[in-house]
């Protein structure tokens, strides 16, 4: 959606798109962080959490590098020395494609991935909610 922004795009639309994107990114990072340590025993949690944080930072750095490369490639393809709006659109589309490709990894997860942390594991009892009587 950000690739479609122009100078005429209303500020409210831009804010809503960015707010929605931020919400879903936050939801995704929370889910992925939970899945990353779901099957780690108590003794390995510290190492797993550290490794996951480093992997996440490396992935973010690679994303920035890929976006910069897409900007430069688009600019070079146009034969210009100055960045234009179309170059940013190309970078956004490139990053969207890379992000969408991650789905190929996620579809390979077992159906029961994350059940241990979701409370849906076989035999798991959900935590009592306030107001529940035993």
């Amino acid at each position: 959606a950000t690739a479609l922004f122009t100078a005429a795009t209303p500020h409210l639309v831009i804010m809503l798109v960015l707010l929605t994107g931020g919400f879903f990114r936050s939801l995704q990072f929370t889910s992925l962080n939970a899945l990353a340590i779901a099957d780690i025993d108590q003794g390995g949690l510290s190492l797993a959490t550290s490794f996951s944080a480093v992997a996440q930072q490396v992935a973010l750095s690679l994303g920035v590098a890929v976006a910069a490369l897409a900007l430069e490639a688009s600019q070079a393809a146009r034969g210009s020395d100055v960045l234009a709006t179309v170059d940013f659109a190309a970078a956004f589309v490139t990053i969207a494609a890379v992000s969408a490709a991650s789905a190929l990894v996620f579809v390979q997860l077992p159906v029961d991935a994350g059940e241990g942390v979701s409370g849906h594991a076989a035999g798991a009892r959900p935590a009592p909610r306030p107001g529940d009587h035993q």
Side-chain angles (χ1 to χ4, degrees), residues 1 7 9 18-19 32 34 44 47 54 63 69 73 78 87-89 96 104 110 114-115 126-127 129:
T9 304
L18 295 178
L19 181 68
L32 291 175
L47 181 61
V54 168
L69 180 64
R78 288 185 311 102
D87 300 323
F88 287 91
L104 298 173
E115 280 186 347
R129 295 181 303 226

Side-chain angles (χ1 to χ4, degrees), residues 8-44:
T9 304
H11 289 129
L12 181 60
V13 171
I14 292 172
M15 289 188 310
L16 289 174
V17 167
L18 295 178
L19 181 68
T20 302
F23 170 78
F24 283 105
R25 241 182 326 280
S26 176
L27 187 64
Q28 177 190 15
F29 284 139
T30 302
S31 302
L32 291 175
N33 286 335
L35 275 175
I37 61 170
D39 295 329
I40 306 296
D41 62 8
Q42 194 68 25

Side-chain angles (χ1 to χ4, degrees), residues 19-131:
L19 181 68
T20 302
F23 170 78
F24 283 105
R25 241 182 326 280
S26 176
L27 187 64
Q28 177 190 15
F29 284 139
T30 302
S31 302
L32 291 175
N33 286 335
L35 275 175
I37 61 170
D39 295 329
I40 306 296
D41 62 8
Q42 194 68 25
L45 277 178
S46 176
L47 181 61
T49 302
S50 299
F51 181 78
S52 178
V54 168
Q56 200 171 65
Q57 291 302 313
V58 168
L60 289 169
S61 298
L62 287 172
V64 170
V66 168
L69 180 64
L71 274 172
E72 289 291 323
S74 178
Q75 179 182 346
R78 288 185 311 102
S80 177
D81 293 335
V82 180
L83 286 172
T85 305
V86 69
D87 300 323
F88 287 91
F92 285 132
V93 169
T94 300
I95 291 302
V98 170
S99 296
S102 68
L104 298 173
V105 173
F106 298 130
V107 297
Q108 296 177 23
L109 288 172
V111 175
D112 61 350
E115 280 186 347
V117 293
S118 70
H120 293 99
R125 292 181 54 197
R129 295 181 303 226

